[in-house]
Each structure stands twice: as structure tokens, then as C-alpha cells.
């Protein structure tokens, strides 16, 4: 197994995160055993999946002598919030370019939730309209404030091969935890967006034991686009690990049937999944990512694709801070889960 100890890294996340059996949700849904990898508990500014990526991104930024970082995301970006927190902890300046991808203009969406925390962490926040290439828009913005030389640019979602190392590490962690408890998972399900989480997991499982259990649930792009993005990044991640042939196209699978009307717009199935997790497990999902990931898992149980013959690990990627930016969007009439 190739190891990742040689890459620059700074400790930011509480690791390893626990794996817990979701006993009441499992029995309510009547399908496979559902276990949850609690990456919502990574600790950094409440937690979430970006903490793992930022360990490697910030390691690289500091080792290369940068004094500031900049990144972009949707207005209620969890990635922006965790980047602001990591920068604060490591003494770096932080610029955030937040794109209004949903069209929501209410006060909660614009300034509560993640945006409130961005500001509390001392980040400089600029709001903007969506651009075709947000990585390019970010570079232009940083140039316009004269900070190009001192600023390490982090792509959206922290999703490049460096950031994906955080999820190579997570896959190694899951394999070690599973072996220690004699558990094996037929599927590892999670929300996939900017692709770094899935790319890292796919490369990490292949690297650890040759397995290929990962199933992404898309939150934005159609399936062909999402799988192509994940595959490209998984290959780049594998190349960074020194084995460009590690990942095959067939290792990358995404179900993009639970997006609803678009990125950041909760569907009825999203809110139902959030309510089930909250009422049966005391677990907070979010309306943009983990709620759609869980809606996918529930949908695949109901359609018979996942059955009692399977055992699923749901990677809870975090996001509950966004609830406070979506307070008025969750009032969708769905019967209470317990009725
Ligand atoms: C960013 C994010 C994801 C998606 O991860 P990607 O690496 O962008 O695919 C999932 N869940 C939450 C809560 C996130 O913030």
C-alpha cells in the first residue's frame, strides 16, 4: 500500500471519526444495516468533510510560504466556512468569494449559517453572481486586490489531488476500523459535489485493499458529468500517490437521481431524509449535501437496489450549519417521520 505520510499536512480534524450503527433508522427502513461514518464530527468549526482536505491543502500552503489563502463556494458553502476556520487557526489571511447559486436573497441565506461563521472567523467575504469558471473568477478577484503573490488559491470544495488526499486517508481509516470490528461494508454511500471526497475514497479503497464499494449521490451535475469529474480527479489523485493505473472507470459510480430542481435547492425527498435522521437517530443532516445523500440511500432501499443482503456505510459529510441559512426553506409539508 502506498502511504500518504510524505505529503505536507497540518492537523486540523478530530480523527479518527467514529463509525456508529444507526439502529432505529435501519429498522424503520427495513433494508440493509446502515452504519454512519461521523465526518460531521471532524471538529473544525463544527466539523464536516472539508477539514480532512484542508489538512493537506493548508500543509502545502504553509510549506510553500504563503501568508493568505482564498477559495470560493456557494453562499452557504461549508467549504468556505471550514477554510476560514483553518486559516484562523494557522494564522493565515482568508479571502472568500461567495457565489449566489440558488437565487435566494432572504436574510438567513445571505448572512446567517455559514456566512455568519465565515465572518466570525475573520475572513474577508465578497459576494458575487455565478460565473462560468469560478476558479478563474477567484484568481481575478485576488489579482484585483493585489494579493496574487502571497495567496494560495484553493479550488472550489478543496477538490484537487492535494485535497483528495484527505479522503484517501479517510478510506484507509475506514478499512482499519472495519477490520478491527470485523465489519465489512458492501456499499459506502455519500453526497458527491465537487468530486474530491469521492475521488479520494475511490483511490483510497483501491490502494488499501483493492475494493470498490463507493457510491456517490450527486447534488449538482448529471450522472455522466459527475462520474467523469470524479474519475478524472481519482486518476490525478492516484498519480499523486505514485500509481496512475490504480483507478478504473468502473470504480466510479454516482446516482444523480436525487438532486431535485438543482444545487442548493432542497427537494421533498431531501427534507424527508433530514427529518428521518433527526427523528430516528438524533443526527442533523443538511439541505444541500448530506440530506440529498441520505435521500439517495433511502430511495435505493425503496427501489430494492439495496436490501437486507447489503451492509451500508453512509459517510456523513457534515453541513448542519447551513440549516440556519435555510430556516424558511424547510417548511415543506411532509408527514412527521414517526407517524
Ligand atoms: C462539500 C460537501 C460535500 C461534497 O463533497 P465534495 O468533495 O465536494 O464532492 C458533501 N457534504 C457536505 C456537507 C459538503 O460540505
Amino acid at each position: 500500500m502506498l502511504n500518504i505520510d510524505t505529503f505536507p499536512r497540518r492537523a486540523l480534524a478530530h480523527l479518527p471519526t467514529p463509525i456508529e450503527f444507526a439502529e432505529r433508522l435501519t429498522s424503520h427502513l427495513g433494508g440493509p444495516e446502515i452504519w454512519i461514518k461521523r465526518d460531521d464530527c471532524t471538529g473544525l468549526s463544527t466539523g464536516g468533510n472539508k477539514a480532512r482536505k484542508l489538512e493537506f491543502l493548508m500543509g502545502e500552503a504553509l510549506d510553500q510560504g504563503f501568508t493568505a489563502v482564498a477559495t470560493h463556494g456557494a453562499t452557504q458553502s461549508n467549504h468556505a466556512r471550514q477554510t476560514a476556520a483553518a486559516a484562523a487557526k494557522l494564522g493565515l489571511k482568508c479571502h472568500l468569494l461567495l457565489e449566489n447559486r440558488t437565487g435566494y436573497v432572504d436574510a438567513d441565506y445571505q448572512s446567517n449559517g455559514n456566512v455568519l461563521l465565515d465572518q466570525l472567523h475573520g475572513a474577508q467575504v465578497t459576494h458575487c453572481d455565478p460565473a462560468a469558471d469560478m476558479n478563474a473568477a477567484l484568481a481575478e478577484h485576488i489579482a484585483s486586490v493585489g494579493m496574487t503573490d502571497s495567496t494560495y488559491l484553493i479550488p472550489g470544495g478543496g477538490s484537487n489531488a492535494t485535497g483528495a488526499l484527505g479522503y484517501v486517508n479517510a478510506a484507509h481509516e475506514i478499512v482499519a476500523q472495519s477490520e478491527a470490528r470485523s465489519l465489512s461494508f458492501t456499499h459506502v454511500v455519500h453526497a458527491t459535489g465537487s468530486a474530491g471526497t469521492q475521488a479520494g475514497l475511490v483511490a483510497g479503497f483501491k490502494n488499501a485493499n483493492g475494493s470498490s464499494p463507493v457510491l456517490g449521490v450527486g447534488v449538482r451535475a448529471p450522472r455522466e458529468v459527475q462520474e467523469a469529474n470524479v474519475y478524472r480527479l481519482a486518476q490525478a489523485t492516484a498519480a499523486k500517490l505514485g500509481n496512475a493505473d490504480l483507478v478504473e472507470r468502473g470504480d466510479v459510480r454516482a446516482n444523480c437521481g436525487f438532486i431535485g430542481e438543482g444545487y442548493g435547492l432542497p427537494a421533498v425527498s431531501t427534507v424527508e431524509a433530514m427529518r428521518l435522521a433527526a427523528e430516528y437517530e438524533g443526527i442533523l443532516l443538511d439541505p444541500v449535501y448530506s440530506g440529498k445523500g441520505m435521500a439517495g440511500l433511502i430511495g435505493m432501499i425503496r427501489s430494492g437496489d439495496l436490501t437486507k443482503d447489503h451492509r451500508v456505510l453512509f459517510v456523513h459529510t457534515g453541513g448542519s450549519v447551513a440549516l440556519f441559512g435555510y430556516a424558511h426553506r424547510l417548511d415543506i409539508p411532509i408527514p412527521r417521520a414517526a407517524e
Side-chain angles (χ1 to χ4, degrees), residues 92-284:
L92 296 167
K93 288 202 188 76
C94 179
H95 296 259
L96 301 175
L97 188 60
L98 301 182
E99 166 199 8
N100 190 341
R101 224 182 268 171
T102 60
Y104 295 166
V105 293
D106 57 280
D108 278 340
Y109 188 76
Q110 290 292 336
S111 51
N112 202 342
N114 281 297
V115 185
L116 175 72
L117 300 195
D118 295 342
Q119 255 135 8
L120 200 52
H121 290 305
Q124 190 162 334
V125 176
T126 305
H127 293 266
C128 71
D129 291 329
D133 182 346
M134 282 297 297
N135 287 332
L138 179 69
E140 261 172 54
H141 173 67
I142 293 305
S144 77
V145 294
M147 302 260 316
T148 302
D149 291 344
S150 55
T151 305
Y152 179 81
L153 297 179
I154 299 177
S159 285
N160 56 20
T162 299
L165 292 173
Y167 271 86
V168 172
N169 187 49
H172 294 179
E173 189 178 297
I174 291 166
V175 168
Q177 287 174 309
S178 312
E179 283 173 1
R181 293 166 72 172
S182 304
L183 270 174
S184 66
F185 297 104
T186 57
H187 298 77
V188 173
V189 175
H190 68 94
T192 179
S194 66
T197 300
Q198 188 171 358
L201 286 173
V202 167
F205 280 108
K206 287 298 286 249
N207 186 38
N209 62 13
S211 71
S212 182
V214 183
L215 176 55
V217 179
V219 301
R220 187 174 188 185
R223 180 174 146 201
E224 308 71 57
V225 175
Q226 187 66 22
E227 289 186 347
N229 288 345
V230 172
Y231 181 46
R232 199 178 314 114
L233 186 50
Q235 284 179 302
T237 307
K240 197 172 175 79
L241 290 170
N243 181 359
D245 300 329
L246 185 64
V247 177
E248 289 153 43
R249 178 62 184 81
D251 298 324
V252 175
R253 289 181 304 277
N255 181 331
C256 297
F258 297 86
I259 297 170
E261 286 176 37
Y263 174 88
L265 308 175
V268 170
S269 63
T270 319
V271 181
E272 189 205 6
M274 290 167 63
R275 230 172 248 186
L276 281 172
E279 293 193 15
Y280 281 86
E281 295 295 338
I283 282 180
L284 298 174

